[in-house]
Amino acid sequence: MTTEEAHKRIEYLTQELNRHNYLYYVKHSPEISDYDFDKLLEELQTLEKQYPQFLKPDSPTQRVGGEVTKEFPVVKHKYPMLSLANSYSIEEIIEFENRIKKLIESRVEYVCELKYDGVAIGITYLNGKFYRAVTRGDGEQGEDITPNVKTIRSIPLQLQGNDYPAEFEIRGEIFFPRKNFEKLNKEREESGETLFANPRNTASGTLKMQDSAVVAKRGLDCYLYGIYGDNLPFTSHAQAIQKAGEWGFKIPPVEKKYIAICKTVDDIVAFINYWEIERKNLPFDIDGIVIKVNDYAQQQELGFTAKSPRWAIAYKYKAERVSTQLLSIVYQVGRTGAITPVANLNPILLGGTIVKRASLHNADQIEKLGLCAGDYVWVEKGGEIIPKIVGIDTTKPRDTTQPIKYIDTCPECNTPLVRNEGEALHYCPNEFSCPPQIIGKIIHFTSRKAMNIEGLGEETIDQLYQAGLIKNIADIYDLKKAQLLPLERMAEKSVTNLLQGIENSKKIPFERVLFALGIRYVGETVAKKLAKHFKSLDNIINARYEELLTVDEVGEKIAESVVNYFHEIYNLQIVERLKLAGLQTELKTNEAVLSEKLKGITFVVSGTFKYFSRDGIKQTIEQHGGKVSGSVSKNTGYLVAGEDMGPAKLLKAQELGIKIINETEFKNLIA
Ligand code: IVH
């Protein structure tokens, strides 16, 4: 391919991928499969590496993130980011409309929109290209979080059409769709991490993350609600939203009633009432409705107060809250030993369901509320699935004013609790003999995504534990028919099924066995990465902290957790027994082993090559028994240097005296 051909192809792929991205994330009507999309993206990535001079900031490859920002630069807003006046009753909406009627003589039309519950963002476009994205901050200045916002697929990097102004700012709300939020929390639960409380705070936290690659994976989304600039080609808010849609932005669909033009206050009230009921069926959280005067000239006439526009108002839905008595607090112990306080409440109806329990999160939360035994408390169902206690109902008498004292020993095994610096939760450190931790670990081990042992559900595990037959995950593989038959609900058939289920689990691939061990912070994805990198459990057991850190997605917290896990003799004994039982502790690959010429040598591969693709070189190294690592350290045997390699790696290799070889020299090594 000539340079000119490469340039053309890059431009073609950029355009095509941006188009498919739009069809998928904005229009929800893809034309090609995910697989074909990934193939095109891969091709573009390869070409951009070979011809970095043609890499453009609006390239769809920039969506996958990777840019790491230490500190986000502070930027002054060209147009201050104001907030909206809030209202909580229909009377206030009627007053708002009356006020406007008095100030504007001609007829006024309103646009009603959803009030998305997320994080406000202002994105500047220059000549149709995504230029910069800034948070609201204090309204005067915010933080430039461009690399993170660029990963949100529904925000165009290049606009469509040709009637957009050379410079303008578009504002909207970035939010966490409920489905993606639940998925993220499920993953966290599986890897033993504390759960995020609600989509809004998580969206906000995600946008402030330093590694944009992590942001890219979380699946944030964005709706746009306002355009600011000079010489805009429209004269009303509804037209602005429509234009934004034509330029490729995700705008609220009229057919789903996410947005409506209202001519009377009755229309506005109908919109509010409709969403009061329907909002629970939306795929994202809203906390109200926004009502805006449609016409720009009328907006201008109305102007602003010090804090907010006179031409708009937010109607906020009240989170339904009820008062009930706190009966007791129970402290649950999870499989990782994390303690979660849960309030037992006098049962009460809230939002259509009877609430008996509410989460209290942690010790700080209880202290902040100033909770005392027997208090009447306000319970609310907000964005969270589990209701929460938001305050004390001070209209009710109190039994005592002595604040509840958080437990300092484990409620299950009496071991003194620990709380690590910077962590919100208390932990029971007695991981090997605290019953709920043992049972929790076994439940995790047998679960569907781990060893998937049929016939060994939570109840049976509990039964077998109580009967003294299993005290850890390795005991499962020693279970005998004669031990099981005398137990309740264990007829011949269920015993046979259970033992068959256990036998079948021996075929479960290594990466799932690794996940099943329940090492803290090692979720499904990390387990896969570790398995792929190290190939066998023994290699992971012997891996040093530094080497673990070279694995994609493994940071300090995970590396430390893996090292600690295999530092425990008890765990090593369990793992040994699992191996003897016949579980898969090596990665099964169909990549042929060609030789052992590179055995024991670790390579780092960087840059682009003439004869090999980068992945091709890596595969060849592994096929000849070598190992591939992502970063140069004193354990590196060779650095295979291609064109355009990163200067940091080269310098580090020179500094440590690592052998640097080119492609031909590499070929000679395996010849
Ligand atoms: S219009 C002058 N429209 O609500 C402010 N805001 O206090 C114009 N929000 O932080 C804002 N959905 O981020 C507008 N459809 C919508 C909105 C919306 C959510 C947020 C916005 C702002 C807050 C207003």
Side-chain angles (χ1 to χ4, degrees):
M1 190 182 279
T2 65
T3 309
E4 191 40 40
E5 281 165 352
H7 190 185
K8 282 221 172 87
R9 183 78 187 152
I10 288 178
E11 289 204 324
Y12 168 78
L13 287 169
T14 302
Q15 233 176 45
E16 267 304 274
L17 283 161
N18 277 335
R19 189 172 73 85
H20 288 304
N21 207 41
Y22 170 75
L23 288 173
Y24 187 95
Y25 288 99
V26 180
K27 289 277 153 201
H28 303 294
S29 60
E31 274 177 12
I32 59 171
S33 68
D34 291 359
Y35 177 81
D36 289 338
F37 183 91
D38 289 344
K39 281 272 149 237
L40 292 179
L41 191 66
E42 255 172 50
E43 187 189 343
L44 180 60
Q45 267 167 334
T46 313
L47 281 174
E48 283 177 349
K49 270 182 200 144
Q50 272 173 11
Y51 302 93
Q53 68 270 37
F54 302 136
L55 171 68
K56 297 228 209 71
D58 66 328
S59 164
T61 57
Q62 303 305 294
R63 300 261 197 211
V64 291
E67 198 169 320
V68 174
T69 320
K70 281 264 172 291
E71 247 172 56
F72 299 111
V74 172
V75 176
K76 192 170 161 28
H77 292 298
K78 189 164 176 188
Y79 311 92
M81 266 175 122
L82 301 176
S83 55
L84 291 165
N86 286 327
S87 64
Y88 296 89
S89 65
I90 298 296
E91 289 72 48
E92 287 173 87
I93 296 298
I94 294 170
E95 275 169 31
F96 165 76
E97 203 253 354
N98 279 335
R99 259 197 318 271
I100 289 181
K101 257 199 261 173
K102 274 192 207 136
L103 293 165
I104 305 271
E105 273 177 18
S106 49
R107 269 179 62 91
V108 179
E109 203 175 67
Y110 296 90
V111 175
C112 286
E113 275 173 13
L114 304 180
K115 189 168 186 308
Y116 318 106
D117 197 9
V119 181
I121 195 76
I123 313 169
T124 304
Y125 281 81
L126 292 184
N127 299 317
K129 290 194 184 351
F130 186 126
Y131 169 64
R132 189 167 71 186
V134 182
T135 61
R136 179 171 187 276
D138 61 3
E140 290 297 324
Q141 48 184 34
E143 285 174 304
D144 176 349
I145 55 165
T146 303
N148 288 348
V149 176
K150 271 193 171 176
T151 67
I152 301 171
R153 309 270 173 151
S154 54
I155 301 178
L157 299 176
Q158 165 69 54
L159 300 185
Q160 299 169 17
N162 50 18
D163 59 345
Y164 42 75
E167 178 179 348
F168 70 93
E169 184 178 335
I170 187 157
R171 290 189 180 161
E173 196 87 350
I174 295 177
F175 58 89
F176 227 123
R178 285 177 182 158
K179 226 163 86 194
N180 297 352
F181 176 71
E182 278 157 27
K183 186 168 150 256
L184 175 68
N185 256 350
K186 211 152 176 239
E187 282 165 11
R188 289 179 71 86
E189 191 176 6
E190 276 162 6
S191 57
E193 289 177 89
T194 43
L195 301 192
F196 288 126
N198 63 52
R200 203 201 75 81
N201 293 353
T202 316
S204 165
T206 302
L207 284 172
K208 295 285 177 66
M209 290 176 86
Q210 293 182 341
D211 185 354
S212 59
V214 181
V215 183
K217 289 200 188 98
R218 289 205 171 166
L220 294 171
D221 207 342
C222 179
Y223 271 120
L224 283 314
Y225 55 63
I227 300 180
Y228 297 74
D230 302 326
N231 303 322
L232 298 173
F234 34 75
T235 57
S236 74
H237 179 65
Q239 285 169 9
I241 297 293
Q242 198 196 337
K243 262 287 167 244
E246 285 168 24
W247 294 338
F249 291 99
K250 179 163 174 153
I251 55 158
V254 180
E255 68 284 3
K256 287 192 186 162
K257 298 201 192 163
Y258 284 18
I259 185 166
I261 291 187
C262 295
K263 293 196 190 302
T264 65
V265 77
D266 288 345
D267 291 351
I268 297 174
V269 173
F271 191 89
I272 290 173
N273 290 341
Y274 176 80
W275 285 110
E276 169 111 57
I277 308 289
E278 278 304 309
R279 67 187 176 124
K280 63 175 185 298
N281 299 322
L282 278 167
F284 48 84
D285 287 350
I286 61 168
D287 60 342
I289 295 297
V290 183
I291 302 128
K292 301 173 181 174
V293 168
N294 189 19
D295 186 75
Y296 278 176
Q298 292 179 341
Q299 282 189 7
Q300 214 172 1
E301 226 180 307
L302 289 160
F304 296 84
T305 68
K307 277 189 286 180
S308 47
R310 281 199 196 87
W311 45 262
I313 193 164
Y315 176 90
K316 297 259 258 185
Y317 291 121
K318 269 188 240 93
E320 205 186 331
R321 63 161 61 175
V322 284
S323 157
T324 188
Q325 194 174 19
L326 171 70
L327 300 179
S328 63
I329 294 180
V330 289
Y331 296 87
Q332 292 175 341
V333 187
R335 81 170 154 89
T336 57
I339 309 287
T340 319
V342 177
N344 276 328
L345 304 168
N346 204 0
I348 187 138
L349 195 66
L350 173 65
T353 49
I354 303 238
V355 173
K356 294 185 195 134
R357 285 141 71 83
S359 87
L360 277 165
H361 301 299
N362 53 47
D364 292 346
Q365 174 83 0
I366 296 176
E367 200 186 313
K368 216 163 86 192
L369 289 165
L371 220 50
C372 302
D375 273 351
Y376 274 80
V377 290
W378 288 111
V379 186
E380 201 170 85
K381 240 189 213 169
E384 295 85 359
I385 295 115
I386 311 161
K388 63 175 179 190
I389 295 180
V390 290
I392 295 166
D393 179 358
T394 47
T395 63
K396 297 275 174 27
R398 299 181 103 172
D399 292 348
T400 168
T401 50
Q402 189 66 38
I404 287 171
K405 197 176 164 305
Y406 204 77
I407 49 167
D408 45 25
T409 57
C410 175
E412 302 280 345
C413 71
N414 254 333
T415 306
L417 299 180
V418 290
R419 185 181 184 181
N420 294 329
E421 220 184 286
E423 284 193 9
L425 295 181
H426 285 72
Y427 282 88
C428 165
N430 182 17
E431 57 177 315
F432 304 124
S433 38
C434 175
Q437 292 193 58
I438 297 173
I439 295 176
K441 283 193 181 81
I442 302 175
I443 291 172
H444 170 75
F445 182 80
T446 60
S447 64
R448 203 171 46 82
K449 285 187 175 169
M451 302 306 284
N452 192 21
I453 304 184
E454 268 177 56
L456 203 45
E458 289 189 24
E459 241 175 88
T460 315
I461 290 172
D462 203 46
Q463 187 186 15
L464 298 182
Y465 175 77
Q466 302 304 343
L469 293 179
I470 48 172
K471 287 185 289 308
N472 56 54
I473 52 179
D475 288 345
I476 295 172
Y477 295 92
D478 292 340
L479 286 172
K480 301 277 175 308
K481 196 171 177 176
Q483 296 172 308
L484 296 167
L485 277 174
L487 300 179
E488 231 180 276
R489 290 179 290 116
M490 281 284 179
E492 177 86 24
K493 188 148 183 265
S494 20
V495 171
T496 314
N497 284 348
L498 172 58
L499 291 175
Q500 189 57 51
I502 294 173
E503 195 54 34
N504 292 347
S505 76
K506 295 181 184 170
K507 293 194 209 87
I508 293 287
F510 167 48
E511 63 266 26
R512 277 173 59 186
V513 176
L514 184 59
F515 167 61
L517 292 180
I519 305 170
R520 201 163 161 204
Y521 308 128
V522 178
E524 263 182 297
T525 318
V526 171
K528 271 191 201 142
K529 302 260 172 184
L530 286 170
K532 189 155 179 256
H533 180 95
F534 287 102
K535 309 268 179 307
S536 75
L537 194 54
D538 281 338
N539 286 343
I540 299 179
I541 294 173
N542 295 324
R544 289 216 224 114
Y545 175 77
E546 289 76 19
E547 191 179 357
L548 285 160
L549 279 181
T550 64
V551 181
D552 190 21
E553 294 209 19
V554 175
E556 287 170 12
K557 201 170 72 171
I558 300 176
E560 199 178 304
S561 166
V562 173
V563 169
N564 288 345
Y565 182 90
F566 292 114
H567 215 80
E568 287 288 347
I569 302 288
Y570 183 84
N571 289 334
L572 291 175
Q573 283 167 346
I574 298 269
V575 165
E576 204 47 43
R577 285 176 60 201
L578 293 177
K579 263 200 255 172
L580 285 174
L583 268 64
Q584 304 294 319
T585 52
E586 284 181 23
L587 193 68
K588 282 238 160 54
T589 52
N590 40 19
E591 296 157 14
V593 175
L594 299 176
S595 83
E596 292 212 326
K597 283 192 179 129
L598 308 181
K599 194 165 178 210
I601 310 175
T602 304
F603 289 78
V604 172
V605 182
S606 184
T608 50
F609 303 91
K610 206 160 150 200
Y611 303 108
F612 290 95
S613 70
R614 194 148 69 210
D615 284 344
I617 282 208
K618 289 183 182 171
Q619 196 180 351
T620 312
I621 292 169
E622 284 166 0
Q623 283 171 340
H624 289 274
K627 275 202 235 168
V628 182
S629 165
S631 63
V632 177
S633 73
K634 58 182 190 313
N635 300 325
T636 311
Y638 292 95
L639 169 68
V640 191
E643 268 179 54
D644 303 322
M645 70 168 294
K649 281 199 177 110
L650 200 60
L651 282 175
K652 182 103 192 258
Q654 282 166 348
E655 199 180 294
L656 294 171
I658 309 289
K659 280 179 232 134
I660 303 167
I661 56 172
N662 63 24
E663 200 172 4
T664 319
E665 287 165 316
F666 171 73
K667 276 184 19 189
N668 289 340
L669 274 185
I670 50 167

